């Protein structure tokens, strides 16, 4: 049986969508891929070493002097619009797996303080408003606040220092918030900060107020723990569940293990890129015994580098991922095998802010048995990526809530 691997390079956009400037006009110049390549050539004195991404056709999707303009591999290449409002990892992955996220509720926390406070008090928590700010301090340790790393009003966070409260208690508080939250995601975050969290509160866009998580040191100091609590969805219409019901092994790696639902899946959560790649390769090797199956892996450190506006780190992550992609292509050689490399949104580290950027994302498909290159039309939604994977696995694409296979809709390379 064939194996399909979807590798999501988190935050790896290939140029602004037409509506990218609706919230921040400057985002119309966003180009995560191009700007990282330009910066790294200038700082390193050499181009990034990305032979696998070149072979997969990234340079056909995003022409750039540092990317190969041709490939001898029989790939299918294109780009996808996001298919959901804003630019968000949770919404991006849920859409990619076949959920209809076109009507995500946008709701800054400040308009819902009374119901959130009431729910927390009913659950026995001490709740205090932070003086002069539309956010809540729970049990003297947990800040409930707008997420400032995605577009305003899409996500809320419940954040605390692990020195002050266990992560299980943070998650419990986040679950209480989730029960009354109208937004796509409530994120429980625990880490080790450089100081008191209240000192890192700042204004965001669109009237939001929240914790500047990168500034706290959570991402630098080690021990970061995160739990994503998403809005209720019909997961039976998503790719992992459909694959599992068809008897295929399903493995979710990295952040995908945290945010995608599938009771039958093997979960391999990880943040470090080396660990994500190790788990992904192990899952493919394990499936070579004849079972095949679906692997969905998220490389998170690219997104973290974008939030930290650290272009050099972003480039280093891309080079590390590229090595892993070479190994994956070396394993996925049987007819019907697929390696799909894509992203969930952009996160341009040069744009001047720490938010995600609303960009097209690459769709690079390794298909070893194909006769030539297929240039795909722009997909209107990430759901088409999941539908393409479903078709490769021989699953019923119509069982997905939304999405249509991309293969066969393109044209040959000139």
């Amino acid at each position: 049986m064939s194996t399909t691997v979807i590798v999501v390079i988190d935050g790896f956009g290939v140029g602004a969508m037409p509506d990218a400037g609706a919230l921040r006009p400057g985002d119309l110049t966003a180009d995560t891929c191009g700007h990282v390549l330009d910066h790294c050539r200038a700082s390193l004195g050499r181009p990034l070493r990305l032979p696998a991404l070149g072979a997969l056709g990234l340079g056909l999707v995003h022409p750039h002097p540092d990317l190969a303009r041709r490939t001898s591999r029989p790939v299918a290449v294109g780009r996808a619009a996001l298919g959901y409002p804003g630019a968000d990892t949770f919404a991006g992955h849920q859409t990619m797996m076949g959920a209809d996220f076109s009507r995500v509720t946008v709701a800054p926390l400040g308009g819902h303080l009374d119901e959130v406070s009431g729910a927390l008090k009913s659950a026995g928590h001490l709740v205090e408003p932070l003086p002069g700010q539309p956010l809540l301090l729970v049990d003297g340790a947990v800040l409930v606040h707008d997420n400032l790393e995605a577009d305003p009003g899409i996500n809320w966070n419940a954040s605390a220092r692990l020195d002050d409260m266990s992560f299980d208690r943070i998650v419990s508080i986040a679950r209480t918030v989730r029960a009354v939250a109208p937004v796509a995601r409530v994120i429980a975050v625990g880490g080790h900060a450089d100081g008191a969290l209240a000192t890192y509160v700042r204004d965001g866009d669109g009237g939001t107020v929240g914790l500047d998580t990168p500034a706290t040191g959570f991402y630098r100091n080690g021990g970061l723990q995160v739990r994503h609590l998403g809005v209720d969805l019909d997961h039976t219409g998503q790719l992992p569940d459909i694959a599992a019901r068809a008897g295929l092994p399903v493995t979710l790696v990295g952040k995908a293990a945290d945010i995608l639902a599938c009771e039958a899946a093997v979960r391999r959560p990880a943040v470090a890129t080396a660990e994500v790649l190790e788990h992904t390769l192990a899952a493919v090797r394990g499936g070579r015994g004849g079972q095949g199956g679906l692997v969905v892996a998220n490389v998170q450190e690219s997104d973290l580098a974008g939030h930290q506006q650290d272009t050099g780190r972003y480039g280093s992550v891309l080079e590390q991922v590229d090595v892993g992609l070479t190994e994956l292509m070396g394993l996925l050689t049987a007819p019907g095998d697929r390696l799909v490399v894509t992203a969930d949104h952009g996160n341009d580290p040069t744009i001047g802010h720490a938010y995600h950027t609303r960009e097209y994302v690459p769709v690079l498909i390794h298909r070893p048995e194909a006769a030539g290159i297929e240039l795909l039309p722009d997909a209107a939604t990430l759901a088409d990526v999941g539908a393409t994977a479903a078709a490769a696995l021989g699953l019923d694409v119509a069982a997905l809530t939304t999405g249509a296979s991309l293969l066969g809709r393109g044209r040959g390379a000139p």
Side-chain angles (χ1 to χ4, degrees), residues 1-4 74 288 290 292-293 329-339 366-371 391-394 407:
M1 295 180 67
S2 64
T3 300
T4 291
R288 294 292 79 191
M329 285 191 286
L331 292 173
L332 297 167
T333 57
D337 283 349
R338 295 287 182 269
L339 170 62
H366 162 74
R367 42 184 198 151
E369 82 287 356
L393 290 166
L407 295 179

Side-chain angles (χ1 to χ4, degrees), residues 23-24 108 146 148 151-153 202-209 353 355:
L23 180 65
R24 293 177 292 269
D146 290 309
L148 300 186
D151 278 351
R202 65 171 176 82
D203 293 341
D205 286 351
T208 57
V209 180
H353 59 69
Y355 298 116

Side-chain angles (χ1 to χ4, degrees), residues 79-98:
R79 62 180 189 170
L82 302 185
Y84 65 89
D88 175 65
T89 294
F90 179 81
H93 282 71
Q94 302 303 330
T95 300
M96 191 184 301
M97 295 299 108

Side-chain angles (χ1 to χ4, degrees), residues 262-282:
C262 179
E263 289 188 6
V266 174
R267 297 181 184 275
R268 297 288 184 257
V271 175
T273 301
E275 192 175 352
V276 170
L277 294 172
E278 179 183 343
H279 286 317
T280 304
L281 289 162

Side-chain angles (χ1 to χ4, degrees), residues 185-200:
R185 195 167 30 143
V186 174
I187 309 172
V189 183
H192 299 288
D194 297 332
L197 294 190
T199 63
Y200 301 102

